[in-house]
Amino acid sequence: MGIVMGPNQYGKSECRIVTVDRGSSRHSIKDLNVSTSLRGDFDDTHHTGDNAKVLPTDTQKNTVYGLAKEQPVGEIEDFAMRLGRHFVDTQQPVTGARVLIDEYSWERIPVGGTGHDHSFARSSDEKRTTAVTIDGSETHVVSGLKDLVVLKSTGSEFWGYPKDRFTTLAETEDRILATAVTARWRYLGTDVDWAKSFAAIREIMLETFATTHSYALQQSLYEMGRAVLEKRSEVAEVRMSLPNKHHFLVDLERFGMENDNEVFFAADRPYGLIEGTVTRDDVDPAPAAWYSLPEF
């Protein structure tokens, strides 16, 4: 029986970078968290500790800052592709690269009804994301968002489920439905207006969540993904993870008070976790490595 090195990668995780565009008196900022991973011929370092082919992770970190200075960051997909292609093109042992970027959103502070030229406030915990995989001459882009917290105060039901001796949950035809959306969508190519596409997909997801009368969070997941694929031809598939942020009706009868779906206890854990992929039936599924680490 032989023993060999399986799939592997290495890199620098969570390089925090903020850039300021000072091209005019009205500044703009980019606030990013960048992670890089390299794949290729690294058997020697695993077998013997020979680092002749290992570009230090510190160099990868410095490359993030250096490339951000050489050329404006622009859209995170473009910056991720630029980083990944740099490593593959300049390092002979490197055959592939994976770049993950989270972008934090900032809004101009309003002063006298107008956004200030150089003062900003973090708008929410929501983040725009991208995962770019460079595999030789091929480039694959999976973008998305996470921590987009949404809530419906009505228009949601949950009933008709199996019951056994451990079931205590009461059926309901009117409940709060809340979740923190993590969504990732795979693009069919790279000739995309990234900002326009992201804004449109986000809007479609929000509108669909709001207007779907939901009998299950699974149904909402499917409808949101289906709406994106129907309206955005550049997208091959949508993957979503939706934690069910439970809101339980508080029993006020012991105080002689009626609770007509007005007062709830918002529980943070445990929570239901609904996950799924909505895809076109005429496209090949993406390798798992485009979404996460290589499978071990």
Side-chain angles (χ1 to χ4, degrees):
M1 179 185 70
I3 298 175
V4 298
M5 188 67 203
N8 62 89
Q9 62 184 17
Y10 80 99
K12 202 67 159 184
S13 290
E14 301 199 48
C15 303
R16 292 290 280 111
I17 175 173
V18 174
T19 65
V20 181
D21 184 348
R22 302 178 183 272
S24 71
S25 61
R26 189 170 178 82
H27 297 169
S28 61
I29 63 174
K30 284 281 188 177
D31 185 358
L32 310 178
N33 192 25
V34 182
S35 297
T36 61
S37 297
L38 306 183
R39 304 166 182 175
D41 179 12
F42 305 126
D43 283 352
D44 290 345
T45 191
H46 288 101
H47 294 158
T48 68
D50 182 348
N51 294 318
K53 298 178 179 179
V54 178
L55 184 73
T57 64
D58 190 66
T59 304
Q60 296 181 43
K61 174 203 70 179
N62 293 339
T63 303
V64 172
Y65 300 127
L67 292 189
K69 169 59 179 176
E70 286 184 350
Q71 183 178 341
V73 168
E75 300 302 325
I76 56 175
E77 291 84 357
D78 291 324
F79 187 51
M81 287 190 286
R82 195 156 68 244
L83 279 167
R85 184 54 59 192
H86 168 86
F87 293 125
V88 172
D89 290 348
T90 62
Q91 300 296 315
Q92 189 275 330
V94 176
T95 59
R98 180 169 167 78
V99 181
L100 310 179
I101 300 180
D102 291 350
E103 180 174 6
Y104 305 90
S105 58
W106 292 81
E107 296 178 350
R108 296 185 185 277
I109 295 176
V111 177
T114 303
H116 196 268
D117 284 348
H118 56 262
S119 297
F120 305 84
R122 275 282 293 272
S123 54
S124 72
D125 290 332
E126 180 188 349
K127 304 167 193 70
R128 177 178 169 183
T129 67
T130 196
V132 170
T133 302
I134 307 293
D135 185 9
S137 62
E138 297 183 353
T139 301
H140 308 284
V141 179
V142 177
S143 290
L145 54 81
K146 61 184 179 182
D147 299 326
L148 172 59
V149 180
V150 293
L151 179 149
K152 289 167 67 78
S153 56
T154 190
S156 176
E157 308 180 28
F158 191 63
W159 50 269
Y161 45 83
K163 301 173 183 67
D164 65 14
R165 62 194 181 100
F166 296 116
T167 300
T168 59
L169 183 69
E171 295 186 344
T172 178
E173 295 182 353
D174 189 5
R175 66 170 181 169
I176 286 179
L177 180 64
T179 186
V181 179
T182 294
R184 290 180 284 182
W185 48 87
R186 174 165 60 97
Y187 285 105
L188 289 166
T190 58
D191 185 15
V192 177
D193 183 331
W194 305 115
K196 181 178 179 180
S197 180
F198 173 83
I201 291 170
R202 183 180 184 277
E203 180 178 317
I204 291 167
M205 286 188 167
L206 287 174
E207 287 185 355
T208 305
F209 176 82
T211 58
T212 297
H213 188 97
S214 179
Y215 295 93
L217 189 50
Q218 289 90 334
Q219 176 196 6
S220 296
L221 181 152
Y222 175 74
E223 291 298 330
M224 292 163 70
R226 182 171 69 90
V228 170
L229 295 180
E230 286 181 345
K231 297 177 181 179
R232 304 302 303 184
S233 61
E234 72 271 26
V235 177
E237 66 181 15
V238 181
R239 297 188 179 194
M240 277 178 280
S241 178
L242 305 179
N244 196 339
K245 301 174 78 68
H246 298 301
H247 289 67
F248 297 110
L249 198 66
V250 177
D251 181 7
L252 299 179
E253 288 186 1
R254 51 188 166 172
F255 309 130
M257 305 170 71
E258 183 178 350
N259 190 355
D260 187 20
N261 273 6
E262 295 170 310
V263 180
F264 297 83
F265 167 64
D268 64 344
R269 65 195 65 185
Y271 53 86
L273 183 59
I274 313 304
E275 298 179 300
T277 302
V278 185
T279 186
R280 302 184 189 278
D281 60 8
D282 58 349
V283 299
D284 294 330
W290 293 3
Y291 288 89
S292 58
L293 295 177
E295 294 183 334
F296 291 96

